[in-house]
Amino acid sequence: MLDSVSATSSIDALMLDMGRRARDAARPLAIASTEAKNAALHAMADALLAKEAEILAANAKDLDNARENGLAASLIDRLTLNPARIAAMVDGIRQIAALPDPVGSVMDAWERPNGLRIERVRTPLGVIGVIYESRPNVTADAGALCLKAGNAVILRGGSDSIDSSGAIHDCLIEGLKSAGLPADAIQRVPVTDRAAVGALLTGLEGTVDVIVPRGGKSLVGRVQSEARVPVFAHLEGICHVYVDGSADLEMAKKIVLNAKMRRTGICGAAETLLIDSAVIGTHLMPILEALTEAGCEVRASATVLKVFPGFKPATDEDWRTEYLDAIISVAVVDGVSGAIDHIARYSSHHTEAIIAEDPKAVERFFNEIDSAILVHNASTQFADGGEFGMGAEIGIATGKMHARGPVGVEQLTSFKYRVHGNGQVRP
Amino acid sequence: MLDSVSATSSIDALMLDMGRRARDAARPLAIASTEAKNAALHAMADALLAKEAEILAANAKDLDNARENGLAASLIDRLTLNPARIAAMVDGIRQIAALPDPVGSVMDAWERPNGLRIERVRTPLGVIGVIYESRPNVTADAGALCLKAGNAVILRGGSDSIDSSGAIHDCLIEGLKSAGLPADAIQRVPVTDRAAVGALLTGLEGTVDVIVPRGGKSLVGRVQSEARVPVFAHLEGICHVYVDGSADLEMAKKIVLNAKMRRTGICGAAETLLIDSAVIGTHLMPILEALTEAGCEVRASATVLKVFPGFKPATDEDWRTEYLDAIISVAVVDGVSGAIDHIARYSSHHTEAIIAEDPKAVERFFNEIDSAILVHNASTQFADGGEFGMGAEIGIATGKMHARGPVGVEQLTSFKYRVHGNGQVRP
């Protein structure tokens, strides 16, 4: 008992020290030039290539431990690095270097009748805590994104990836130092103790401005319920595709298939298909056949089963489930109103699509549904910062505050007002 | 004991019911037309004028109780209504009606190489909780602002203003009903029990999206430390005016005097004067004389006292104090670097001004200081939504998330992405 108390308090002290060092690093970082930040990013990429052997050796150690601990095959896959994956990390960092620097960009400017000129200008957020699972590449992605936006970051990766992340982190530090930026700009929690996560979620006495969790529902859920600072995240992506009575059947088939089956494990994958009762006779079966042929399990509502028996029946739980697998729930709804009602009840406010030719249906769908991303006649799998043209993203947020939808470098910034006068006083 | 437990649990139940009703009202409100919202606002204004006698009678009752309870004269003044103050409320509501509707406005739009057209569109935030002191006019201001941005609101005013707020709230409800909007769009906590505030701060099971406290430091401090939902607020405004070596003396005198003395009780009032050591001999005394003549007490640093003895000495506490009174602390700093260091250490990140003719000093001041509002050659007292051209404001925020600086109707919105396709699937 005593041991665990003192271990916790030493973890708390370690984390608090990291928070203070991050806060100290944030000030010079906020005014670092674009050139210095980009030089650091390219130096990081170079270091990752130069130290490939060391990184793979560290990864081999993690993989040995993981196999010994009986880690699931899918988790082992995520943990595994190879030259191609290291090259992808390097490429990702160079892409972040190529993005425009958000810091200092003028978002808005106007002049007042009294001659005051007001500008709203992007600034870094400050210090970001990133908590992620055992995917070593997130160390590089998240570190590089936070740096580009002028933020200091504290990285806490999964314990199974501790050595791999450490080797990658060494390269990031090398890049920072070579560009004359503070090494504390990108810190990594060097211990696997879970108390470190708890400490980070307190905000470390006001030194951490925002937490970004990257991982599955249990990680995000814990972060959302325990964090005492703002969180950019989505708990899950229960994404809907609604096929309106006015939909083109071929387009609907193609989009539903892509939205569900292109990759089933991502948050923008469709989980529920809603079909307008007006076209149940013409549109539903061709779509369900295409899904079934592609290997997708269909879970159908009672109304669907009445017309097309033979599918597995959906329970109420199905409408609330993010399968992240080749399974889709299917319900019949009464036009766009019915779709809006179903989505209001079950959606996780991530991404919803409507397939329709009728602009009135699209307008209602776009106006009345309160999700981060609404899509017309395209796949829900476009819900991604890269596909939006934002460059890399650190995740997708479904909250309504500050960042919503893909979180890229711009969303990792705040702003301030600059007021230019020539002697004005307030009457 | 039992009584208080059951009172608390009945307050909790009452508040939770208010939260659910607000959430239900938020959905139709989010898609209410600009015309309906403006019609409701004008009907509210009309009702306030028509029911002036009832409002003044309710206010007289509050004032009687307040005097009986020995309320301070300044608080009695804030609580007092009269025909002019009712007319000002009416005017404020009509000004909010005249503002552009932020909901549905396109913030940004771009097209992707694959033909997807992406728009970022303003949406209401949802449900806002406003907690304020016994200033009955806030009932009208806050209710009208939240409505304009399409948000449902739960108002919790100070207990001394319960009857006045109730009479004003009746007029708001009348306006909502006459425009066919849900009466639950603007709810008022009908009890004075402080447990209602505690319940509101929990977010009422996810029904409240953001809390806005309006009042003094103790109210804001409690809200910031207890709230489990985001808060738009500033704890205090420790605003600095820095007079650079390149400053024009006449301009500096005029601006410092206005920044400190125009109104001493507002958050944008200057509390500390920093003077460049380069001009201590020429600029300091004329400025201090102007302040002293205007009735301002000067608390001077040791360096100031060495050159100009006779002022009251400033302690370390003075640099951290928001006087909200005719008092100013004065320190000598080593150029703009010294000013930036002092402000980094003591500022509350609200508003800071630089008086300078040297553009390099201004650039460093603007780049390196992390406060919501930075002002060059103008008074800090322009830190106000109206002065910024935003129309009315619900307050000023010093946090870095979502809203920063003046919080007007636009800042009371979130956004969503609308993606327009013509059959795109993701490769």
Side-chain angles (χ1 to χ4, degrees), chain A residues 322-363:
Chain A
E322 185 188 29
Y323 303 114
L324 294 173
D325 202 349
I327 307 172
I328 196 164
S329 54
V330 183
V332 178
V333 293
D334 218 2
V336 72
S337 299
I340 291 166
D341 286 344
H342 182 103
I343 291 169
R345 190 155 168 205
Y346 296 110
S347 164
S348 60
H349 305 290
H350 190 294
T351 299
E352 333 291 347
I354 177 173
I355 320 298
E357 296 302 311
D358 173 10
K360 286 216 172 109
V362 180
E363 197 191 334

Side-chain angles (χ1 to χ4, degrees), chain B residues 38-48 94 171-172 174-176 178-179:
Chain B
N38 289 346
L41 290 167
H42 284 296
M44 289 172 188
D46 295 341
L48 285 168
R94 297 210 201 274
C171 299
L172 307 187
E174 201 176 312
L176 287 168
S178 83

Side-chain angles (χ1 to χ4, degrees), chain A residues 147-196:
Chain A
L147 174 67
K148 181 79 189 206
N151 298 299
V153 62
I154 297 174
L155 301 168
R156 204 285 184 181
S159 50
D160 293 311
S161 63
I162 185 97
D163 283 314
S164 318
S165 292
I168 293 167
H169 182 246
D170 289 345
C171 299
L172 306 187
I173 297 297
E174 200 176 313
L176 287 168
K177 284 184 178 163
S178 83
L181 294 176
D184 284 340
I186 304 180
Q187 295 181 81
R188 186 184 68 95
V189 179
V191 296
T192 58
D193 198 306
R194 293 197 71 185

Side-chain angles (χ1 to χ4, degrees), chain B residues 210-273:
Chain B
V210 62
I211 299 277
V212 181
R214 282 194 54 165
K217 195 173 163 180
S218 71
L219 170 66
V220 176
R222 179 187 173 195
V223 167
Q224 286 183 330
S225 72
E226 288 182 27
R228 297 306 312 255
V229 287
V231 173
F232 293 161
H234 66 273
L235 186 63
E236 51 190 353
I238 301 180
C239 303
H240 297 76
V241 179
Y242 163 61
V243 177
D244 187 59
S246 68
D248 175 272
L249 173 59
E250 282 313 303
M251 189 191 282
K253 237 165 62 180
K254 192 175 70 164
I255 289 175
V256 171
L257 203 62
N258 185 268
K260 177 69 248 182
M261 298 298 289
R262 175 185 159 268
R263 283 180 65 191
T264 56
I266 66 174
C267 58
E271 306 294 3
T272 297
L273 168 66

Side-chain angles (χ1 to χ4, degrees), chain A residues 175-337:
Chain A
L176 287 168
K177 284 184 178 163
S178 83
L181 294 176
D184 284 340
I186 304 180
Q187 295 181 81
R188 186 184 68 95
V189 179
V191 296
T192 58
D193 198 306
R194 293 197 71 185
V197 175
L200 195 52
L201 295 179
T202 64
L204 302 174
E205 298 191 353
T207 57
V208 176
D209 293 294
V210 62
I211 300 277
V212 181
R214 284 194 53 165
K217 195 174 164 180
S218 70
L219 170 66
V220 176
R222 180 185 172 196
V223 168
Q224 286 183 330
S225 72
E226 288 182 29
R228 297 305 312 254
V229 287
V231 174
F232 293 161
H234 66 274
L235 187 63
E236 51 190 353
I238 302 180
C239 303
H240 297 77
V241 179
Y242 164 61
V243 176
D244 186 60
S246 68
D248 175 273
L249 174 58
E250 282 313 302
M251 190 192 284
K253 238 164 63 178
K254 192 175 71 163
I255 289 175
V256 172
L257 202 63
N258 185 268
K260 176 71 249 183
M261 298 297 289
R262 173 185 161 269
R263 282 181 64 191
T264 56
I266 66 174
C267 58
E271 306 294 2
T272 297
L273 168 66
L274 302 174
I275 188 140
D276 189 340
S277 57
V279 289
I280 187 169
T282 53
H283 286 40
L284 184 54
M285 210 50 207
I287 296 172
L288 295 187
E289 273 169 1
L291 285 165
T292 310
E293 268 168 36
C296 184
E297 177 185 326
V298 170
R299 300 197 185 165
S301 73
T303 315
V304 172
L305 291 175
K306 246 188 267 171
V307 191
F308 303 109
F311 292 110
K312 185 168 169 180
T315 67
D316 195 60
E317 202 42 39
D318 280 294
W319 314 121
R320 305 180 192 280
T321 300
E322 185 188 29
Y323 303 114
L324 294 173
D325 202 349
I327 307 172
I328 196 164
S329 54
V330 183
V332 178
V333 293
D334 218 2
V336 72
S337 299

Side-chain angles (χ1 to χ4, degrees), chain A residues 110 112 125 258 366-367 369 372 374 376-377 387-388 400 402 404 414-419 421 423 426, chain B residues 110 112 125 258 366-367 369 372 374 376-377 388 400 402 404 414-419 421 423 426:
Chain A
W110 63 97
R112 298 290 302 149
L125 271 174
N258 185 268
F366 272 18
N367 281 344
I369 294 178
L374 299 170
H376 172 222
N377 284 354
E387 293 297 324
F388 270 51
K400 287 182 178 177
H402 194 90
R404 203 176 193 213
S414 180
F415 58 86
K416 62 186 171 192
Y417 291 95
R418 295 176 170 185
V419 182
R426 192 166 166 193
Chain B
W110 63 97
R112 299 288 302 147
L125 271 174
N258 185 268
F366 273 18
N367 281 345
I369 294 177
L374 299 171
H376 171 221
N377 285 354
F388 270 51
K400 287 182 177 178
H402 193 90
R404 203 174 194 215
S414 181
F415 58 85
K416 61 185 172 189
Y417 292 95
R418 297 175 168 185
V419 182
R426 190 165 166 193

